[in-house]
């Protein structure tokens, strides 16, 4: 935790309000991915290799590494025949083929919502569509989705990139979206797509993750009252970064922090009411630690602002379903 600084206290000594956005922190896909690695370690022992970060959170990755998970960038770092877990963001068919050729013991941690987007990419490409993927270049989920039909897909991130697409791209143009973007993030790009391709085929339902939408809507509900928003999450977490951008776009300062130790006293000087949330890959315990840390700067009152309750649960893959379950509470921070 940062050193307590008198300048960070509310001047008149009244309690600082903390508005807790709900839902926040772990989503069902993240909980599933973490439990997959935990169960693999239980049933197979260390090391269990994980391609890329299982989820985009420094604390989660550090905890699992301390328990025997070995995180690698590519499969060539994994010994033949070893156990490897694919991250929640998914992989391309080329990665799956390499794993099979190498005789790796694969456990797939891909979020079922990402897997759904992959299936649509294959289906749309098979019928001859040009498939426009709305997302950010370099993101692991995007790389995996593009790999499903590389000759039929094109990536766009901005309306300008949409306008640069050839108007006669294919007899049929369809689109998909990166799941960790919000509805607001994609609105302008989708508007440009509809304008550019009047016969655009739209998926029956949004591919954007329910958890992304819920966390953004929960934050929107408290932003008007907040002088400052703190988002617990890592810099490579797309949905966490979007939460910071959402607050700033609405005129409320916001900061992204991995842990309570990242809080800077000067941020708090004029913040009587603070909004607090966690990205979908941030452990709930880290949010609780932020509340505790903030109380070190003077009295606080905490208000829960829950706009909806999430009841989604994803079944574990059969490869780890029989392993003994870890005690409740998730990874330590």
């Amino acid at each position: 935790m940062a050193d307590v600084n008198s300048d960070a206290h509310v001047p008149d000594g009244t309690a600082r309000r903390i508005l807790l956005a709900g839902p926040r922190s772990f989503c069902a896909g993240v909980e599933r991915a973490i439990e997959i690695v935990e169960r693999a370690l239980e049933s197979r022992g260390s090391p269990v290799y994980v391609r890329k970060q299982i989820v985009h959170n420094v604390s989660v990755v550090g905890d699992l590494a301390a328990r025997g998970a070995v995180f690698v960038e590519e499969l060539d770092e994994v010994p033949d025949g070893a156990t490897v877990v694919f991250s929640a963001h998914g992989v391309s068919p080329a990665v799956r083929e390499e794993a099979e050729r190498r005789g790796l013991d694969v456990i797939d941690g891909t979020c079922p919502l990402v897997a759904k987007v992959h299936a649509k990419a294959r289906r749309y490409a098979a019928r001859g569509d040009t498939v426009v993927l709305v997302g950010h270049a370099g993101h692991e989920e995007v790389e995996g989705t593009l790999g499903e039909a590389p000759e039929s897909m094109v990536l766009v991130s901005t309306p300008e990139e949409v306008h640069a697409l050839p108007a006669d791209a294919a007899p049929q143009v369809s689109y998909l979206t990166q799941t960790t973007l919000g509805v607001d993030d994609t609105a302008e790009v989708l508007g440009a797509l509809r304008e550019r391709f009047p016969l655009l085929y739209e998926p029956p339902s949004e591919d954007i993750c329910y958890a992304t939408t819920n966390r953004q809507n929960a934050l929107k509900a408290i932003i008007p009252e907040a002088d400052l928003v703190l988002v617990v999450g890592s810099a490579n977490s797309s949905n966490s970064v979007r939460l910071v951008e959402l607050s700033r776009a609405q005129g409320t300062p916001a900061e992204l922090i991995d842990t309570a130790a990242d809080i800077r006293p000067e941020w708090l000087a004029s913040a009587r009411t603070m909004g607090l949330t966690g990205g979908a890959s941030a452990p709930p315990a880290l949010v609780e630690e932020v509340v505790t840390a903030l109380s070190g700067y003077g009295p606080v009152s905490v208000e829960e602002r829950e706009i909806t309750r999430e009841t989604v649960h994803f079944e574990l893959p059969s490869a780890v379903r029989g392993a003994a379950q870890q005690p409740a509470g998730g990874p330590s921070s």
Side-chain angles (χ1 to χ4, degrees):
M1 172 180 159
D3 292 337
V4 175
N5 185 314
S6 60
D7 292 339
H9 289 264
V10 177
D12 59 12
T14 59
R16 176 180 281 116
R17 295 170 69 211
I18 300 176
L19 307 181
L20 279 175
R24 61 183 176 274
S25 298
F26 282 169
C27 65
V30 164
E31 289 177 338
R32 175 181 182 270
I34 294 169
E35 188 172 356
I36 286 171
V37 178
E38 291 174 338
R39 290 197 177 203
L41 286 167
E42 278 190 356
S43 61
R44 289 157 170 80
S46 175
V48 167
Y49 293 85
V50 184
R51 184 183 180 275
K52 307 292 188 180
Q53 293 187 356
I54 185 65
V55 297
H56 286 161
N57 185 269
V58 170
S59 296
V60 170
V61 170
D63 176 79
L64 292 174
R67 294 157 69 175
V70 178
F71 293 89
V72 299
E73 284 299 303
E74 298 298 344
L75 293 185
D76 59 10
E77 302 172 61
V78 180
D80 290 349
T83 297
V84 62
V85 179
F86 292 155
S87 81
H89 303 102
V91 299
S92 69
V95 174
R96 296 183 187 278
E97 291 165 8
E98 180 185 352
E100 183 176 358
R101 178 179 57 80
R102 298 267 315 284
L104 300 179
D105 173 25
V106 172
I107 306 174
D108 193 356
T110 302
C111 174
L113 297 180
V114 175
K116 178 182 173 184
V117 175
H118 285 196
K120 287 182 179 178
R122 294 191 298 270
R123 188 165 69 250
Y124 296 170
R127 70 188 185 194
D129 290 14
T130 290
V131 185
V132 179
L133 177 61
V134 181
H136 293 309
H139 191 278
E140 290 161 35
E141 179 189 329
V142 166
E143 291 177 351
T145 303
L146 290 173
E148 293 290 346
E151 296 179 357
S152 301
M153 299 189 72
V154 59
L155 176 67
V156 299
S157 302
T158 65
E160 291 73 24
E161 291 175 349
V162 171
H163 294 312
L165 296 175
D168 57 349
Q172 177 68 59
V173 177
S174 54
Y175 77 83
L176 296 168
T177 58
Q178 179 181 330
T179 63
T180 52
L181 298 179
V183 174
D184 292 345
D185 301 323
T186 59
E188 287 189 14
V189 177
L190 294 184
L193 274 172
R194 294 178 184 117
E195 178 183 343
R196 184 72 169 162
F197 305 105
L199 299 179
L200 178 72
Y201 177 82
E202 306 199 23
S205 60
E206 288 288 348
D207 296 316
I208 290 169
C209 171
Y210 74 94
T212 298
T213 300
N214 286 347
R215 279 148 191 73
Q216 292 193 3
N217 288 341
L219 183 57
K220 286 179 185 177
I222 63 174
I223 286 174
E225 298 179 57
D227 302 311
L228 172 70
V229 165
L230 293 180
V231 177
V232 181
S234 294
N236 63 339
S237 167
S238 178
N239 74 87
S240 298
V241 171
R242 299 286 89 71
L243 291 170
V244 172
E245 293 173 347
L246 172 64
S247 181
R248 291 174 178 172
Q250 297 194 18
T252 298
E255 300 293 343
L256 181 68
I257 57 174
D258 265 308
T259 69
D262 296 329
I263 298 172
R264 296 171 59 176
E266 58 265 30
W267 295 344
L268 313 180
S270 58
R272 291 175 174 268
T273 300
M274 300 183 57
L276 177 59
T277 188
S281 51
L286 295 185
V287 177
E288 295 166 8
E289 289 176 8
V290 169
V291 174
T292 300
L294 290 173
S295 68
Y297 295 103
V300 297
S301 65
V302 181
E303 300 176 32
E304 179 84 26
R305 298 288 184 86
E306 187 177 61
I307 64 165
T308 187
R309 185 151 297 181
E310 293 176 348
T311 58
V312 176
H313 175 77
F314 295 132
E315 189 175 52
L316 294 170
S318 59
V320 295
R321 211 173 293 152
Q325 189 166 0
Q326 285 279 345
S332 65
S333 59

